[in-house]
Amino acid sequence: MAGAAALRLRVEKVVAGGYGLARQPLTGETVLVPFVLPDETIEVRKTYQEKGVKWARAEHLLEPNPHRREAPCPYYGDCGGCDLQHADYAYQIEIKGGALLETLRRVGRVDWHGPVTVVRSPEFGYRIRATLKAAWPGGRLDIGFYRNRSRVVCAVERCLLLVEPLNACLPHLKCTLETRALGRMGEIDALSTDEGVLLWLRTDREPPTGLVRDLARIPGCAGVGIVRDAGGRSAHRIVQRAGKDRAVLRVGRHAYLASPTCFFQANRFMHQALLDALDAVLPTSGRLALDLYCGAGFFTQHLGDRFETVVGVEENADAIRLARDAAEAAGMGGLRFLAVDVCASLRDPGMTGSPDVVVVDPPRAGLASDGSLIEYLGSMRPPLLVYFSCEPSTLARDLGRLRASGFQLVDLRAFDMFPQTHHLEAMAVLRPEDTARHESTTDSTSRPGA
């Protein structure tokens, strides 16, 4: 740890993770600083090393960026949920677009020279789902989110990012739980649906008799589940349940089933934007489409409007049950779902055809790390591959691998799924290299004056 002498730093840019990048004046060594903006001059008094990275915290802001603002949330800087509230929203978009391109170049050696349009969202009140953290420090109940870079809970009375039905539940949830001997209860999954709020609680001991009944009486609550956690999210059993454990979410003409335990895009304002972006690159019709990492069938149903057969693959069996039931209720007989690991699905006879399009929407870890899925895609060479990603670093890595397998990036778009945070959703559109080159040549020769 450095001494107490003041050190002046100039912030060069904001990089992936929302951290400002500065360099020490004499050594040129990189220092990462939270809650700063490009072109700001700051003063720090100490730096520290963590996992091979040098960090510092700004003690004084000497020259602020003109886009800096007072954070609207009273918990900002303590709660770890947001990290860009100190920038006006238009500047947040600029920062995120630049960070995406920088990550693609640095990690995947992908130089995208076209524009990157970032679809904007309303700044606040957009999250229909959240994982609340709970703790009993000193005998009192705190419900909120982890503090910045810690596992200590920052208690919140309301969160500006949540939709109103979730915020309305918070005081009732706290009142119902604070006198109960629940032991360690690490998480409460909450989801706001068309039919009300669903709550899913985890505790390490048997809950008191009648607790689920009391929770189900919370105004606006449509269903509650209490899980006895035996050491991890996969090792648990439901011990009490009341009301619904799934409910309908409508997006356009489609009705989906969702539950607190299965992934569904959290930003209510961006659902249609994602489907519109996919529509813009799809053929008008086709025989077969694959939707890998399909979750509860968000893209699968939409693909079913255009393709005779759509195969959705997802290892979460609960999500597949939701997707199947929603498809059956909608009368979409051309949809088929596999509740298996995506790599295991590659051995299924139904996956050996030649799809017109493959859509992938993997978790933050990206496509399978052993390379089997990319190898499969390279051998199959679908005319269109659409990759939705919530993690720019693994997207960059996978785009580099897909390029080596014969694919070319032909379109790149982004969606601000989580305003006030550094997170960004991207959509990369790829085609086999020879097809992309032919289309590029055709387009250039058809332009007047080309």
Side-chain angles (χ1 to χ4, degrees):
M1 184 178 291
L7 180 65
R8 230 179 222 236
L9 298 175
R10 184 76 172 174
V11 180
E12 294 181 11
K13 57 187 175 181
V14 172
V15 296
Y19 303 111
L21 185 149
R23 300 183 193 277
Q24 290 192 293
L26 297 179
T27 65
E29 190 174 10
T30 296
V31 182
L32 296 183
V33 188
F35 307 118
V36 295
L37 297 176
D39 302 319
E40 291 189 329
T41 301
I42 60 173
E43 185 177 270
V44 305
R45 291 203 168 267
K46 56 187 178 182
T47 62
Y48 60 95
Q49 204 84 9
E50 185 178 297
K51 297 181 179 178
V53 178
K54 182 163 283 191
W55 297 83
R57 182 173 288 272
E59 294 196 13
H60 299 287
L61 181 61
L62 304 178
E63 295 178 20
N65 184 303
H67 295 285
R68 176 175 282 275
R69 71 177 180 185
E70 189 71 28
C73 176
Y75 306 108
Y76 187 64
D78 186 16
C79 173
C82 297
D83 46 31
L84 284 179
Q85 274 197 37
H86 58 289
D88 66 53
Y89 186 54
Y91 198 55
Q92 290 183 34
I93 296 294
E94 183 179 332
I95 287 172
K96 292 184 183 186
L100 172 63
L101 292 179
E102 189 272 339
T103 302
L104 293 183
R105 285 192 298 268
R106 176 174 51 83
V107 177
R109 301 184 183 276
V110 176
D111 286 312
W112 177 250
H113 299 293
V116 179
T117 300
V118 180
V119 180
R120 301 186 182 195
S121 164
E123 281 193 71
F124 302 106
Y126 60 81
R127 286 199 69 128
I128 62 169
R129 64 176 301 134
T131 299
L132 301 164
K133 310 299 180 182
W136 270 267
R140 75 173 189 277
L141 173 61
D142 286 343
I143 296 178
F145 304 98
Y146 284 140
R147 287 192 161 92
N148 190 46
R149 297 175 65 80
S150 86
R151 294 290 179 177
V152 177
V153 174
C154 170
V156 302
E157 293 183 3
R158 63 183 289 109
C159 171
L160 295 182
L161 307 191
L162 300 185
V163 295
E164 188 52 37
L166 293 185
N167 271 321
C169 276
L170 287 179
H172 299 285
L173 186 61
K174 179 178 171 62
C175 182
T176 304
L177 292 175
E178 61 187 351
T179 59
R180 312 300 180 108
L182 283 174
R184 183 187 61 80
M185 186 180 67
E187 294 181 344
I188 304 167
D189 293 317
L191 171 67
S192 178
T193 74
D194 297 349
E195 301 174 53
V197 172
L198 304 181
L199 298 172
W200 197 258
L201 291 73
R202 303 178 188 279
T203 177
D204 66 350
R205 65 179 65 173
E206 290 293 324
T209 302
L211 175 59
V212 71
R213 179 198 61 223
D214 294 341
L215 290 168
R217 290 172 177 163
I218 291 175
C221 183
V224 179
I226 302 178
V227 166
R228 175 73 182 273
D229 194 332
R233 296 180 71 92
S234 62
H236 63 261
R237 61 184 179 88
I238 302 171
V239 292
Q240 289 186 25
R241 191 169 69 191
K244 299 177 181 290
D245 61 354
R246 51 165 63 181
V248 172
L249 278 172
R250 291 178 178 83
V251 181
R253 63 176 293 271
H254 292 296
Y256 300 93
L257 289 174
S259 81
T261 60
C262 298
F263 174 78
F264 202 93
Q265 295 287 359
N267 188 325
R268 63 179 172 138
F269 300 115
M270 302 300 281
H271 293 155
Q272 193 61 53
L274 290 169
L275 297 179
D276 289 345
L278 180 60
D279 262 348
V281 300
L282 289 177
T284 55
S285 63
R287 186 185 61 84
L288 174 65
L290 304 183
D291 185 11
L292 308 183
Y293 309 96
C294 70
F298 180 69
F299 292 122
T300 324
Q301 279 200 38
H302 199 66
L303 291 167
D305 291 339
R306 298 199 183 199
F307 295 89
E308 296 173 17
T309 302
V310 184
V311 181
V313 182
E314 167 65 49
E315 67 177 345
N316 185 325
D318 291 338
I320 287 293
R321 278 190 285 272
L322 295 174
R324 281 182 181 144
D325 291 349
E328 288 177 9
M332 302 187 75
L335 305 190
R336 176 173 175 245
F337 295 97
L338 300 176
V340 295
D341 174 76
V342 168
C343 290
S345 75
L346 307 184
R347 299 187 291 271
D348 186 276
M351 301 286 280
T352 58
S354 299
D356 301 290
V357 61
V358 176
V359 175
V360 296
D361 186 11
R364 293 193 184 281
L367 303 183
S369 58
D370 64 0
S372 58
L373 180 53
I374 290 176
E375 181 181 344
Y376 170 78
L377 293 170
S379 64
M380 186 169 41
R381 294 178 63 77
L384 178 65
L385 172 61
V386 185
Y387 188 151
F388 287 93
S389 171
C390 59
E391 178 48 61
S393 62
T394 53
L395 172 65
R397 178 203 67 196
D398 290 343
L399 288 181
R401 293 173 174 177
L402 288 164
R403 180 180 55 202
S405 293
F407 288 94
Q408 182 174 328
L409 180 65
V410 297
D411 196 2
L412 180 67
R413 308 182 188 195
F415 310 85
D416 192 19
M417 299 294 290
F418 298 102
Q420 318 310 326
T421 82
H422 69 274
H423 297 291
L424 188 69
E425 185 89 3
M427 183 184 85
V429 182
L430 302 100
R431 295 189 184 276
E433 195 168 19
D434 50 355
T435 305
R437 190 182 300 114
H438 172 73
E439 290 181 353
S440 178
T441 303
T442 303
D443 289 346
S444 64
T445 56
S446 64
R447 290 196 300 267

